[in-house]
Amino acid sequence: MSVLTAPTEWSARARHGSDGGGPHPGGGGVLAVLYSFPFALGAPGIGFTAWNQANELVRAGVDVHIVVASVEKPIEGAASVRTTLTVRGRRVPHRAIGRDRAMRIHDAVTARLVGRLLDGSADDVVHAWPLASARTLRAARRRGIPGVREVPNTHTAHAYEVVAREYAALGLEPPRGGSHTGDARRLATEESEYAAAVGLLVPSEAVAGSFLDRGFENDRLLRHRYGCTVTAPPARGDGGRPFTAVFLGRGSPRKGLHTALQAWTASRAAAGGRFLVYGLLDDDYAAFLAPLLAHPSVEVRGVTPEPMSVLAAADVLLLPTVEEGSALVTYEAQVAGCVPLVSTAAGAVIDEGVTGLTHRVGDLDALTEQLDLLAARPEMLARMSRAAMARADELSWAAAIQATLAAYREAARLMGRSSHAAA
């Protein structure tokens, strides 16, 4: 056996060592979840999302068995933690052995652990992430355990299509090897995972719609959502500054920065306001955007280590994305009192017209009108900002995990129905 296929276990406690008070999906015991994530838990990006999910499951009283490639940020209180891509305590980068091989190793190891960590009771769930879960989900199904698969973005075929279309419209080439650039092998992998899962965890209606359009049953699309870290937000300090819009994210056609810039420069807000652009810009895209970025009201600020401070110092967030799962920045903006003006593809959890405004993907006129409206009506902007901050607790990771637990219960029901049908 390769050293990489032997999982490293560096903390553990007994499965039923808790007080039995945790939530349960289908039985009367403590819910046990095998949580599989094939990257570094706690790393920026999806690693941060996965860490918050697993951490809140533990805090909710769930017995969480974490199986990850490596750990960047530990979680206290997990039932067990195993790493699949570490040797003698040191992380083995995916690139060192090839991403595809790394994913296969993680999936194979996790599949073998299903029967060791879970006993197949009515209170077991497998929660797996993309690209390394088909074997794991099939192993769960064989043992009668509901397996759910995280869907952090739209159906992969849909994502490939809409992102390619946006690049083509701008006369640009999608980056070779990019996570949203067409890849038949990756699509086949993900489609096998969709099929192996009892249910798919979809964080927004935009994501659900992309699966419904491809013939998936609505029952299998388990609605849950993401969240954000809620602490005392930085002081907003609105007095005396001009109307301020902000873009915060990867500067690529997928995120729609070109639409944001076009709407901003066409709006009356640009005359006395400012548009701050934060994030790493792709080189060819930056060259394409150069005339718009040169507008005197636009400032390119680069990557920020303090996103909440940036949002607290702005009036509106512009995110006219063309494809997304459920952008975490839309949660953070509301907590900071920054009103989201986002496309319907952003997957934002907002109360339309109360805590934010949405527009159809690519609807430049609608976004321009929204900017004009809020720049001209400071009392409306202030009211929406206050309403957004007032729902901070609803947007927390702790609140989000309740939706995930409800999705587990629905997966258990689906598993019971499918088992009955098979019998």
Side-chain angles (χ1 to χ4, degrees):
M1 176 183 292
S2 165
V3 68
L4 284 173
T5 63
T8 300
E9 181 176 6
W10 50 273
S11 70
R13 64 183 173 87
R15 156 89 190 263
H16 296 294
S18 67
D19 61 6
H24 52 87
V30 178
L31 171 60
V33 174
L34 189 160
Y35 190 95
S36 172
F37 183 70
F39 302 101
L41 187 69
I46 59 172
F48 175 76
T49 298
W51 185 91
N52 279 285
Q53 281 185 338
N55 185 58
E56 290 299 337
L57 285 170
V58 171
R59 293 183 64 187
V62 177
D63 276 357
V64 185
H65 297 278
I66 297 171
V67 185
V68 292
S70 60
V71 175
E72 185 161 316
K73 184 178 180 181
I75 290 177
E76 295 184 5
S80 66
V81 180
R82 288 167 168 84
T83 56
T84 59
L85 292 176
T86 58
V87 176
R88 298 184 181 90
R90 299 186 64 179
R91 176 183 176 186
V92 177
H94 289 67
R95 64 180 177 275
I97 58 174
R99 189 195 71 174
D100 290 347
R101 184 183 178 208
M103 295 299 175
R104 288 195 299 270
I105 290 171
H106 179 88
D107 195 14
V109 171
T110 309
R112 289 198 299 270
L113 289 171
V114 171
R116 290 175 54 190
L117 298 176
L118 303 177
D119 59 18
S121 74
D123 303 300
D124 289 341
V125 174
V126 169
H127 181 154
W129 276 72
L131 300 179
S133 63
R135 291 180 64 174
T136 298
L137 292 166
R138 287 194 290 267
R141 189 183 286 270
R142 285 194 298 271
R143 290 169 172 80
I145 299 170
V148 296
R149 199 271 205 175
E150 190 76 39
V151 186
N153 289 106
T154 58
H155 189 290
T156 303
H158 170 87
Y160 287 166
E161 290 170 8
V162 298
V163 172
R165 189 162 59 241
E166 198 70 15
Y167 272 89
L170 301 178
L172 300 174
E173 289 290 329
R176 182 174 298 178
S179 60
H180 293 84
T181 301
D183 182 331
R185 180 182 296 180
R186 173 172 176 162
L187 177 58
T189 296
E190 298 218 34
E191 288 181 330
S192 71
E193 294 172 349
Y194 300 155
V198 170
L200 302 174
L201 293 171
V202 296
S204 68
E205 287 307 311
V207 174
S210 71
F211 282 84
L212 292 172
D213 289 345
R214 281 166 170 76
F216 282 73
E217 294 180 3
N218 188 54
D219 283 358
R220 291 188 63 218
L221 305 178
L222 309 178
R223 273 67 167 179
H224 78 144
R225 65 176 180 83
Y226 299 141
C228 67
T229 302
V230 176
T231 58
R236 285 197 52 79
D238 298 329
R241 62 166 169 76
F243 181 84
T244 301
V246 64
F247 173 90
L248 187 59
R250 179 64 181 258
S252 71
R254 174 176 172 257
K255 292 286 188 176
L257 177 56
H258 52 288
T259 303
L261 286 163
Q262 290 166 344
W264 173 260
T265 55
S267 73
R268 291 188 292 273
R274 57 181 184 163
F275 181 21
L276 310 181
V277 178
Y278 287 89
L280 182 66
L281 301 181
D282 294 348
D283 291 341
D284 57 345
Y285 189 47
F288 172 83
L289 295 176
L292 291 166
L293 294 172
H295 192 279
S297 66
V298 177
E299 301 177 28
V300 179
R301 297 289 185 89
V303 177
T304 176
E306 298 292 341
M308 291 303 292
S309 295
V310 167
L311 292 165
D315 294 299
V316 296
L317 167 74
L318 301 187
L319 186 63
T321 186
V322 301
E323 189 278 327
E324 194 93 47
S326 183
L328 300 191
V329 70
T330 62
Y331 297 80
E332 295 167 340
Q334 292 177 81
V335 170
C338 181
V339 177
L341 306 185
V342 301
S343 76
T344 51
V349 180
I350 64 172
D351 187 353
E352 182 69 28
V354 177
T355 63
L357 296 169
T358 60
H359 60 273
R360 294 189 307 275
V361 173
D363 194 337
L364 179 63
D365 290 342
L367 182 55
T368 303
E369 290 172 3
Q370 291 169 1
L371 282 166
D372 287 342
L373 174 67
L374 294 186
R377 295 185 57 185
E379 75 288 351
M380 181 180 182
L381 176 66
R383 183 171 64 251
M384 293 179 72
S385 175
R386 290 192 299 270
M389 287 190 289
R391 6 172 14 206
D393 288 344
E394 300 173 33
L395 300 173
S396 69
W397 283 109
I401 211 63
Q402 296 304 312
T404 304
L405 290 169
Y408 291 167
R409 289 192 290 272
E410 181 61 15
R413 186 189 70 80
L414 289 172
M415 191 72 192
R417 184 178 66 183
S418 61
S419 296
H420 179 74

